[in-house]
């Protein structure tokens, strides 16, 4: 199953190669086309990292069904004030 980050990983080299090639075909010099395409790739990376960042929610792989000494009592809440 493809997700958001799979698409981003595919779009980064596509942006670098595709936009650079398109700008060179249009008539822009290669020395200007590469930084412009790299800027688009950097924007994609920045969006994936900061705007739509990975969630920090831990994934539980399995439920614990047995209770041991560690599960017997819950820790009390300490109030520092």
């Amino acid at each position: 199953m493809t997700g958001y980050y799979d698409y981003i990983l595919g779009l980064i080299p596509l942006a670098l190669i595709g936009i650079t090639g398109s700008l060179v075909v249009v008539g822009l010099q290669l020395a200007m086309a590469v930084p412009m395409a790299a800027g688009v790739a950097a924007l994609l990376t920045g969006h994936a990292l900061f705007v739509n960042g990975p969630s920090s929610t831990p994934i539980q792989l399995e439920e614990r069904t047995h209770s041991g000494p560690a599960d017997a009592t819950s820790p009390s809440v300490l109030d520092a004030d």
Side-chain angles (χ1 to χ4, degrees):
M1 180 198 272
T2 57
Y4 172 74
Y5 295 104
D6 296 323
Y7 291 124
I8 291 295
L9 288 174
L11 283 175
I12 291 170
L14 183 67
L16 285 170
I17 296 168
I19 294 174
T20 300
S22 298
L23 291 175
V24 168
V25 168
V26 169
L28 201 63
Q29 292 180 357
L30 185 65
M32 288 298 295
V34 171
M36 293 174 89
V40 172
L43 287 174
L44 286 170
T45 304
H47 187 273
L49 286 173
F50 301 113
V51 176
N52 193 11
S55 65
S56 62
T57 312
I59 299 172
Q60 287 187 337
L61 297 177
E62 61 184 48
E63 291 286 327
R64 290 179 49 166
T65 58
H66 67 283
S67 63
D71 295 334
T73 59
S74 62
S76 62
V77 177
L78 297 176
D79 190 10
D81 292 326

